[in-house]
Amino acid sequence: MTYVNNEKRVQALGELVTLDDKWFFLTLNATTRSRYQFDEDLIKLSKWVNRFCLGRSALKHGNKLIICGSVELGKLQDGLHVHLIMNKPQVVKRSDQEIHMFIRRSWMKLTEAKGSLMGNLVHFQEAESLKSVLDYSVKTVKTLQNDNLVYI
C-alpha cells in the first residue's frame, strides 16, 4: 500500500480525476484496532471490487478503478475507519446498487462482522461535489499524521 502525506494531496488527486466518470464516497468502519489488519482488508477489498466491476480481462490489461482516501481513528472507542473516493468509469456495466451491495457483503466478510448486512460498517453514496469529497477524504488527521492517505 502506498502512503502519501504532503501539502498538495488534493491537487495530486485532482490530476487523477476525470469528470466523465461517476464517483462514490465511502466510509468503512473497522471491527479491529490493528492498523496492519485494516490495511490488509482494504487491499483485499480493492482487488475484489476491481474484479467485480471490471472483470479479470480488464485487470490483465492494467485497468483499475481509482480508490483512495484516508484512514482515521474514530471518536467512538478509537476505532479505525477510512473515507474513500472511488470512480465508476463508463465501461463498468454493474449498477450502483450492485456495487453498493457487493462492497457491503465483502466488507462484512473481511471484517468477520456479525449482525445486519445493512448495519453501520459501510456508508456508501454518490459523490455530489467531488471537490468537497476530495477535501474531506484526504484531510490531515492529527492522530495519523505520518501515513493517513492511501491509494489502493
Side-chain angles (χ1 to χ4, degrees), residues 13 24-29 38 42 67-74 80-86 123 125 132-139 141 148-152:
L13 284 176
F24 298 115
F25 177 61
L26 294 91
T27 301
L28 304 173
N29 293 299
F38 190 59
L42 288 173
I67 305 173
C68 55
S70 63
V71 177
E72 299 177 359
L73 287 176
L80 290 167
H81 69 274
V82 63
H83 299 290
L84 296 173
I85 57 167
M86 179 182 103
H123 184 259
Q125 67 187 35
S132 64
V133 170
L134 277 171
D135 287 338
Y136 184 77
S137 295
V138 297
K139 64 186 179 287
V141 181
N148 70 321
L149 185 63
V150 294
Y151 295 92
I152 52 179

mmCIF file of all heavy atoms in Angstrom, residues 13 24-29 38 42 67-74 80-86 123 125 132-139 141 148-152:
data_model
loop_
_atom_site.group_PDB
_atom_site.id
_atom_site.type_symbol
_atom_site.label_atom_id
_atom_site.label_comp_id
_atom_site.label_asym_id
_atom_site.label_seq_id
_atom_site.Cartn_x
_atom_site.Cartn_y
_atom_site.Cartn_z
ATOM 1 N N LEU A 13 -4.534 14.327 -6.315
ATOM 2 C CA LEU A 13 -5.704 13.505 -6.620
ATOM 3 C C LEU A 13 -6.528 14.127 -7.735
ATOM 4 O O LEU A 13 -7.101 13.421 -8.558
ATOM 5 C CB LEU A 13 -6.574 13.338 -5.380
ATOM 6 C CG LEU A 13 -6.054 12.363 -4.340
ATOM 7 C CD1 LEU A 13 -6.955 12.375 -3.124
ATOM 8 C CD2 LEU A 13 -5.966 10.977 -4.917
ATOM 9 N N PHE A 24 -18.032 7.770 -6.202
ATOM 10 C CA PHE A 24 -18.701 7.379 -4.967
ATOM 11 C C PHE A 24 -17.855 7.799 -3.776
ATOM 12 O O PHE A 24 -16.629 7.868 -3.859
ATOM 13 C CB PHE A 24 -18.909 5.864 -4.908
ATOM 14 C CG PHE A 24 -19.779 5.334 -5.998
ATOM 15 C CD1 PHE A 24 -19.266 4.481 -6.954
ATOM 16 C CD2 PHE A 24 -21.114 5.686 -6.078
ATOM 17 C CE1 PHE A 24 -20.058 3.979 -7.965
ATOM 18 C CE2 PHE A 24 -21.920 5.194 -7.092
ATOM 19 C CZ PHE A 24 -21.393 4.339 -8.030
ATOM 20 N N PHE A 25 -18.531 8.050 -2.671
ATOM 21 C CA PHE A 25 -17.884 8.375 -1.405
ATOM 22 C C PHE A 25 -18.260 7.278 -0.423
ATOM 23 O O PHE A 25 -19.439 7.013 -0.200
ATOM 24 C CB PHE A 25 -18.352 9.744 -0.914
ATOM 25 C CG PHE A 25 -17.797 10.133 0.419
ATOM 26 C CD1 PHE A 25 -16.437 10.256 0.611
ATOM 27 C CD2 PHE A 25 -18.640 10.396 1.489
ATOM 28 C CE1 PHE A 25 -15.920 10.626 1.840
ATOM 29 C CE2 PHE A 25 -18.134 10.769 2.719
ATOM 30 C CZ PHE A 25 -16.772 10.878 2.893
ATOM 31 N N LEU A 26 -17.259 6.613 0.130
ATOM 32 C CA LEU A 26 -17.491 5.505 1.048
ATOM 33 C C LEU A 26 -16.824 5.773 2.382
ATOM 34 O O LEU A 26 -15.737 6.357 2.433
ATOM 35 C CB LEU A 26 -16.875 4.209 0.520
ATOM 36 C CG LEU A 26 -17.409 3.582 -0.727
ATOM 37 C CD1 LEU A 26 -16.662 4.087 -1.928
ATOM 38 C CD2 LEU A 26 -17.259 2.089 -0.612
ATOM 39 N N THR A 27 -17.451 5.316 3.441
ATOM 40 C CA THR A 27 -16.824 5.261 4.755
ATOM 41 C C THR A 27 -16.921 3.819 5.221
ATOM 42 O O THR A 27 -18.010 3.247 5.252
ATOM 43 C CB THR A 27 -17.512 6.186 5.766
ATOM 44 O OG1 THR A 27 -17.467 7.526 5.268
ATOM 45 C CG2 THR A 27 -16.822 6.135 7.116
ATOM 46 N N LEU A 28 -15.780 3.232 5.533
ATOM 47 C CA LEU A 28 -15.726 1.861 6.013
ATOM 48 C C LEU A 28 -15.201 1.861 7.437
ATOM 49 O O LEU A 28 -14.128 2.406 7.706
ATOM 50 C CB LEU A 28 -14.801 1.014 5.132
ATOM 51 C CG LEU A 28 -15.127 0.971 3.643
ATOM 52 C CD1 LEU A 28 -14.022 0.249 2.891
ATOM 53 C CD2 LEU A 28 -16.465 0.309 3.413
ATOM 54 N N ASN A 29 -15.954 1.260 8.347
ATOM 55 C CA ASN A 29 -15.549 1.173 9.745
ATOM 56 C C ASN A 29 -14.967 -0.200 10.023
ATOM 57 O O ASN A 29 -15.438 -1.208 9.495
ATOM 58 C CB ASN A 29 -16.746 1.419 10.663
ATOM 59 C CG ASN A 29 -17.243 2.832 10.552
ATOM 60 O OD1 ASN A 29 -16.518 3.763 10.837
ATOM 61 N ND2 ASN A 29 -18.474 2.995 10.104
ATOM 62 N N PHE A 38 -6.284 -3.897 9.204
ATOM 63 C CA PHE A 38 -7.168 -2.979 8.483
ATOM 64 C C PHE A 38 -6.619 -2.717 7.073
ATOM 65 O O PHE A 38 -7.366 -2.763 6.097
ATOM 66 C CB PHE A 38 -7.300 -1.681 9.278
ATOM 67 C CG PHE A 38 -8.364 -0.746 8.774
ATOM 68 C CD1 PHE A 38 -9.691 -1.142 8.703
ATOM 69 C CD2 PHE A 38 -8.041 0.535 8.394
ATOM 70 C CE1 PHE A 38 -10.679 -0.274 8.255
ATOM 71 C CE2 PHE A 38 -9.021 1.421 7.945
ATOM 72 C CZ PHE A 38 -10.342 1.000 7.875
ATOM 73 N N LEU A 42 -8.332 -3.653 3.427
ATOM 74 C CA LEU A 42 -8.559 -2.666 2.371
ATOM 75 C C LEU A 42 -7.967 -3.111 1.040
ATOM 76 O O LEU A 42 -8.571 -2.924 -0.022
ATOM 77 C CB LEU A 42 -7.971 -1.301 2.765
ATOM 78 C CG LEU A 42 -8.704 -0.532 3.847
ATOM 79 C CD1 LEU A 42 -7.913 0.707 4.245
ATOM 80 C CD2 LEU A 42 -10.103 -0.162 3.400
ATOM 81 N N ILE A 67 -9.262 4.249 -6.347
ATOM 82 C CA ILE A 67 -9.803 4.144 -4.990
ATOM 83 C C ILE A 67 -8.759 4.735 -4.055
ATOM 84 O O ILE A 67 -7.645 4.222 -3.966
ATOM 85 C CB ILE A 67 -10.092 2.686 -4.592
ATOM 86 C CG1 ILE A 67 -11.016 2.015 -5.597
ATOM 87 C CG2 ILE A 67 -10.677 2.618 -3.190
ATOM 88 C CD1 ILE A 67 -11.222 0.529 -5.368
ATOM 89 N N CYS A 68 -9.096 5.817 -3.379
ATOM 90 C CA CYS A 68 -8.134 6.423 -2.463
ATOM 91 C C CYS A 68 -8.871 7.174 -1.360
ATOM 92 O O CYS A 68 -10.046 7.477 -1.475
ATOM 93 C CB CYS A 68 -7.174 7.345 -3.201
ATOM 94 S SG CYS A 68 -7.978 8.605 -4.171
ATOM 95 N N GLY A 69 -8.172 7.461 -0.289
ATOM 96 C CA GLY A 69 -8.775 8.166 0.838
ATOM 97 C C GLY A 69 -7.851 8.190 2.025
ATOM 98 O O GLY A 69 -6.641 8.027 1.889
ATOM 99 N N SER A 70 -8.417 8.390 3.204
ATOM 100 C CA SER A 70 -7.582 8.496 4.397
ATOM 101 C C SER A 70 -8.134 7.654 5.538
ATOM 102 O O SER A 70 -9.341 7.556 5.735
ATOM 103 C CB SER A 70 -7.469 9.955 4.851
ATOM 104 O OG SER A 70 -8.727 10.446 5.223
ATOM 105 N N VAL A 71 -7.212 7.043 6.268
ATOM 106 C CA VAL A 71 -7.550 6.242 7.438
ATOM 107 C C VAL A 71 -7.509 7.150 8.653
ATOM 108 O O VAL A 71 -6.605 7.965 8.808
ATOM 109 C CB VAL A 71 -6.552 5.075 7.604
ATOM 110 C CG1 VAL A 71 -6.856 4.277 8.858
ATOM 111 C CG2 VAL A 71 -6.576 4.185 6.372
ATOM 112 N N GLU A 72 -8.501 7.006 9.512
ATOM 113 C CA GLU A 72 -8.585 7.838 10.713
ATOM 114 C C GLU A 72 -8.903 6.981 11.925
ATOM 115 O O GLU A 72 -9.430 5.880 11.795
ATOM 116 C CB GLU A 72 -9.714 8.868 10.581
ATOM 117 C CG GLU A 72 -9.580 9.822 9.469
ATOM 118 C CD GLU A 72 -10.783 10.757 9.372
ATOM 119 O OE1 GLU A 72 -11.725 10.657 10.159
ATOM 120 O OE2 GLU A 72 -10.744 11.597 8.477
ATOM 121 N N LEU A 73 -8.601 7.542 13.082
ATOM 122 C CA LEU A 73 -9.083 6.977 14.331
ATOM 123 C C LEU A 73 -10.397 7.669 14.651
ATOM 124 O O LEU A 73 -10.466 8.895 14.696
ATOM 125 C CB LEU A 73 -8.093 7.228 15.472
ATOM 126 C CG LEU A 73 -6.819 6.417 15.458
ATOM 127 C CD1 LEU A 73 -5.912 6.843 16.593
ATOM 128 C CD2 LEU A 73 -7.124 4.935 15.553
ATOM 129 N N GLY A 74 -11.419 6.878 14.879
ATOM 130 C CA GLY A 74 -12.729 7.442 15.176
ATOM 131 C C GLY A 74 -12.836 7.905 16.620
ATOM 132 O O GLY A 74 -12.017 7.548 17.468
ATOM 133 N N LEU A 80 -10.769 2.325 14.031
ATOM 134 C CA LEU A 80 -10.264 2.757 12.728
ATOM 135 C C LEU A 80 -11.413 2.850 11.737
ATOM 136 O O LEU A 80 -12.343 2.048 11.763
ATOM 137 C CB LEU A 80 -9.243 1.753 12.196
ATOM 138 C CG LEU A 80 -7.903 1.692 12.902
ATOM 139 C CD1 LEU A 80 -7.146 0.453 12.470
ATOM 140 C CD2 LEU A 80 -7.098 2.939 12.604
ATOM 141 N N HIS A 81 -11.347 3.835 10.863
ATOM 142 C CA HIS A 81 -12.248 3.908 9.725
ATOM 143 C C HIS A 81 -11.539 4.637 8.596
ATOM 144 O O HIS A 81 -10.535 5.294 8.809
ATOM 145 C CB HIS A 81 -13.598 4.550 10.075
ATOM 146 C CG HIS A 81 -13.539 6.000 10.388
ATOM 147 N ND1 HIS A 81 -13.255 6.481 11.642
ATOM 148 C CD2 HIS A 81 -13.732 7.089 9.609
ATOM 149 C CE1 HIS A 81 -13.273 7.796 11.627
ATOM 150 N NE2 HIS A 81 -13.560 8.198 10.396
ATOM 151 N N VAL A 82 -12.063 4.456 7.392
ATOM 152 C CA VAL A 82 -11.445 5.058 6.226
ATOM 153 C C VAL A 82 -12.527 5.752 5.404
ATOM 154 O O VAL A 82 -13.646 5.261 5.298
ATOM 155 C CB VAL A 82 -10.690 4.003 5.374
ATOM 156 C CG1 VAL A 82 -11.617 2.958 4.811
ATOM 157 C CG2 VAL A 82 -9.870 4.643 4.277
ATOM 158 N N HIS A 83 -12.188 6.925 4.895
ATOM 159 C CA HIS A 83 -13.038 7.640 3.945
ATOM 160 C C HIS A 83 -12.403 7.436 2.573
ATOM 161 O O HIS A 83 -11.231 7.752 2.378
ATOM 162 C CB HIS A 83 -13.093 9.141 4.250
ATOM 163 C CG HIS A 83 -13.656 9.441 5.595
ATOM 164 N ND1 HIS A 83 -14.980 9.254 5.909
ATOM 165 C CD2 HIS A 83 -13.071 9.920 6.713
ATOM 166 C CE1 HIS A 83 -15.193 9.611 7.146
ATOM 167 N NE2 HIS A 83 -14.043 10.011 7.669
ATOM 168 N N LEU A 84 -13.155 6.890 1.648
ATOM 169 C CA LEU A 84 -12.636 6.590 0.322
ATOM 170 C C LEU A 84 -13.454 7.278 -0.760
ATOM 171 O O LEU A 84 -14.664 7.463 -0.591
ATOM 172 C CB LEU A 84 -12.690 5.088 0.037
ATOM 173 C CG LEU A 84 -11.854 4.166 0.898
ATOM 174 C CD1 LEU A 84 -12.175 2.717 0.579
ATOM 175 C CD2 LEU A 84 -10.380 4.434 0.696
ATOM 176 N N ILE A 85 -12.772 7.641 -1.826
ATOM 177 C CA ILE A 85 -13.486 8.012 -3.041
ATOM 178 C C ILE A 85 -13.145 6.941 -4.070
ATOM 179 O O ILE A 85 -12.038 6.388 -4.066
ATOM 180 C CB ILE A 85 -13.118 9.416 -3.558
ATOM 181 C CG1 ILE A 85 -11.626 9.550 -3.825
ATOM 182 C CG2 ILE A 85 -13.612 10.487 -2.605
ATOM 183 C CD1 ILE A 85 -11.280 10.779 -4.619
ATOM 184 N N MET A 86 -14.122 6.628 -4.904
ATOM 185 C CA MET A 86 -13.949 5.568 -5.887
ATOM 186 C C MET A 86 -14.653 5.984 -7.162
ATOM 187 O O MET A 86 -15.772 6.485 -7.119
ATOM 188 C CB MET A 86 -14.578 4.284 -5.350
ATOM 189 C CG MET A 86 -14.489 3.110 -6.272
ATOM 190 S SD MET A 86 -15.298 1.652 -5.568
ATOM 191 C CE MET A 86 -16.808 1.674 -6.512
ATOM 192 N N HIS A 123 -20.810 2.986 4.753
ATOM 193 C CA HIS A 123 -21.652 4.090 4.289
ATOM 194 C C HIS A 123 -21.254 4.360 2.846
ATOM 195 O O HIS A 123 -20.090 4.618 2.556
ATOM 196 C CB HIS A 123 -21.446 5.329 5.160
ATOM 197 C CG HIS A 123 -22.343 6.455 4.801
ATOM 198 N ND1 HIS A 123 -21.926 7.510 4.052
ATOM 199 C CD2 HIS A 123 -23.658 6.669 5.053
ATOM 200 C CE1 HIS A 123 -22.931 8.349 3.870
ATOM 201 N NE2 HIS A 123 -23.990 7.848 4.467
ATOM 202 N N GLN A 125 -22.359 6.349 -0.841
ATOM 203 C CA GLN A 125 -23.217 7.326 -1.516
ATOM 204 C C GLN A 125 -22.511 7.878 -2.742
ATOM 205 O O GLN A 125 -21.290 7.807 -2.851
ATOM 206 C CB GLN A 125 -23.590 8.468 -0.572
ATOM 207 C CG GLN A 125 -22.406 9.338 -0.169
ATOM 208 C CD GLN A 125 -22.773 10.355 0.894
ATOM 209 O OE1 GLN A 125 -23.592 10.080 1.754
ATOM 210 N NE2 GLN A 125 -22.172 11.511 0.838
ATOM 211 N N SER A 132 -15.422 18.828 -2.711
ATOM 212 C CA SER A 132 -15.607 18.787 -1.262
ATOM 213 C C SER A 132 -15.350 17.386 -0.711
ATOM 214 O O SER A 132 -14.798 17.232 0.377
ATOM 215 C CB SER A 132 -17.003 19.271 -0.874
ATOM 216 O OG SER A 132 -17.982 18.415 -1.378
ATOM 217 N N VAL A 133 -15.714 16.359 -1.470
ATOM 218 C CA VAL A 133 -15.442 14.990 -1.038
ATOM 219 C C VAL A 133 -13.943 14.725 -1.025
ATOM 220 O O VAL A 133 -13.426 14.096 -0.104
ATOM 221 C CB VAL A 133 -16.190 13.979 -1.941
ATOM 222 C CG1 VAL A 133 -15.745 12.570 -1.680
ATOM 223 C CG2 VAL A 133 -17.681 14.103 -1.733
ATOM 224 N N LEU A 134 -13.224 15.206 -2.035
ATOM 225 C CA LEU A 134 -11.764 15.068 -2.044
ATOM 226 C C LEU A 134 -11.146 15.764 -0.840
ATOM 227 O O LEU A 134 -10.289 15.207 -0.157
ATOM 228 C CB LEU A 134 -11.180 15.660 -3.323
ATOM 229 C CG LEU A 134 -11.177 14.801 -4.566
ATOM 230 C CD1 LEU A 134 -10.771 15.626 -5.766
ATOM 231 C CD2 LEU A 134 -10.258 13.615 -4.398
ATOM 232 N N ASP A 135 -11.568 16.996 -0.579
ATOM 233 C CA ASP A 135 -11.038 17.735 0.566
ATOM 234 C C ASP A 135 -11.274 16.984 1.866
ATOM 235 O O ASP A 135 -10.388 16.856 2.703
ATOM 236 C CB ASP A 135 -11.678 19.127 0.663
ATOM 237 C CG ASP A 135 -11.172 20.073 -0.399
ATOM 238 O OD1 ASP A 135 -10.076 19.838 -0.940
ATOM 239 O OD2 ASP A 135 -11.884 21.059 -0.694
ATOM 240 N N TYR A 136 -12.489 16.474 2.034
ATOM 241 C CA TYR A 136 -12.832 15.767 3.271
ATOM 242 C C TYR A 136 -12.097 14.434 3.377
ATOM 243 O O TYR A 136 -11.605 14.068 4.436
ATOM 244 C CB TYR A 136 -14.343 15.540 3.354
ATOM 245 C CG TYR A 136 -14.757 14.910 4.652
ATOM 246 C CD1 TYR A 136 -14.836 15.672 5.808
ATOM 247 C CD2 TYR A 136 -15.030 13.550 4.738
ATOM 248 C CE1 TYR A 136 -15.189 15.106 7.010
ATOM 249 C CE2 TYR A 136 -15.389 12.972 5.932
ATOM 250 C CZ TYR A 136 -15.468 13.751 7.070
ATOM 251 O OH TYR A 136 -15.815 13.179 8.261
ATOM 252 N N SER A 137 -12.008 13.709 2.266
ATOM 253 C CA SER A 137 -11.410 12.374 2.283
ATOM 254 C C SER A 137 -9.931 12.386 2.607
ATOM 255 O O SER A 137 -9.417 11.429 3.169
ATOM 256 C CB SER A 137 -11.610 11.681 0.932
ATOM 257 O OG SER A 137 -12.952 11.460 0.691
ATOM 258 N N VAL A 138 -9.231 13.441 2.223
ATOM 259 C CA VAL A 138 -7.779 13.445 2.406
ATOM 260 C C VAL A 138 -7.313 14.532 3.359
ATOM 261 O O VAL A 138 -6.181 14.950 3.313
ATOM 262 C CB VAL A 138 -7.052 13.571 1.046
ATOM 263 C CG1 VAL A 138 -7.363 12.379 0.174
ATOM 264 C CG2 VAL A 138 -7.420 14.842 0.341
ATOM 265 N N LYS A 139 -8.192 14.946 4.241
ATOM 266 C CA LYS A 139 -7.809 15.972 5.214
ATOM 267 C C LYS A 139 -6.681 15.455 6.110
ATOM 268 O O LYS A 139 -6.500 14.255 6.275
ATOM 269 C CB LYS A 139 -9.014 16.375 6.052
ATOM 270 C CG LYS A 139 -9.570 15.264 6.918
ATOM 271 C CD LYS A 139 -10.847 15.727 7.587
ATOM 272 C CE LYS A 139 -11.441 14.647 8.432
ATOM 273 N NZ LYS A 139 -12.064 13.574 7.738
ATOM 274 N N VAL A 141 -5.017 14.389 9.373
ATOM 275 C CA VAL A 141 -5.527 13.809 10.603
ATOM 276 C C VAL A 141 -4.413 13.825 11.628
ATOM 277 O O VAL A 141 -3.354 13.244 11.405
ATOM 278 C CB VAL A 141 -6.013 12.361 10.357
ATOM 279 C CG1 VAL A 141 -6.569 11.770 11.628
ATOM 280 C CG2 VAL A 141 -7.053 12.346 9.259
ATOM 281 N N ASN A 148 -1.613 8.871 6.636
ATOM 282 C CA ASN A 148 -3.065 8.720 6.584
ATOM 283 C C ASN A 148 -3.655 8.597 5.203
ATOM 284 O O ASN A 148 -4.769 8.161 5.064
ATOM 285 C CB ASN A 148 -3.754 9.855 7.337
ATOM 286 C CG ASN A 148 -3.634 11.171 6.655
ATOM 287 O OD1 ASN A 148 -2.591 11.492 6.106
ATOM 288 N ND2 ASN A 148 -4.685 11.961 6.680
ATOM 289 N N LEU A 149 -2.943 8.931 4.139
ATOM 290 C CA LEU A 149 -3.524 8.878 2.801
ATOM 291 C C LEU A 149 -3.111 7.584 2.116
ATOM 292 O O LEU A 149 -1.940 7.255 2.059
ATOM 293 C CB LEU A 149 -3.074 10.072 1.975
ATOM 294 C CG LEU A 149 -3.694 10.206 0.598
ATOM 295 C CD1 LEU A 149 -5.189 10.418 0.707
ATOM 296 C CD2 LEU A 149 -3.067 11.352 -0.150
ATOM 297 N N VAL A 150 -4.084 6.856 1.609
ATOM 298 C CA VAL A 150 -3.787 5.557 0.999
ATOM 299 C C VAL A 150 -4.334 5.510 -0.417
ATOM 300 O O VAL A 150 -5.384 6.059 -0.710
ATOM 301 C CB VAL A 150 -4.382 4.393 1.812
ATOM 302 C CG1 VAL A 150 -3.718 4.275 3.157
ATOM 303 C CG2 VAL A 150 -5.886 4.514 1.968
ATOM 304 N N TYR A 151 -3.569 4.904 -1.306
ATOM 305 C CA TYR A 151 -4.009 4.593 -2.653
ATOM 306 C C TYR A 151 -4.051 3.077 -2.748
ATOM 307 O O TYR A 151 -3.034 2.434 -2.563
ATOM 308 C CB TYR A 151 -3.024 5.109 -3.702
ATOM 309 C CG TYR A 151 -2.896 6.604 -3.766
ATOM 310 C CD1 TYR A 151 -1.937 7.264 -3.022
ATOM 311 C CD2 TYR A 151 -3.753 7.331 -4.572
ATOM 312 C CE1 TYR A 151 -1.822 8.635 -3.081
ATOM 313 C CE2 TYR A 151 -3.635 8.706 -4.646
ATOM 314 C CZ TYR A 151 -2.677 9.351 -3.898
ATOM 315 O OH TYR A 151 -2.558 10.705 -3.969
ATOM 316 N N ILE A 152 -5.217 2.504 -3.009
ATOM 317 C CA ILE A 152 -5.292 1.039 -3.053
ATOM 318 C C ILE A 152 -5.793 0.570 -4.399
ATOM 319 O O ILE A 152 -6.318 1.326 -5.152
ATOM 320 C CB ILE A 152 -6.161 0.473 -1.920
ATOM 321 C CG1 ILE A 152 -7.517 1.155 -1.883
ATOM 322 C CG2 ILE A 152 -5.455 0.607 -0.613
ATOM 323 C CD1 ILE A 152 -8.442 0.657 -0.826
#
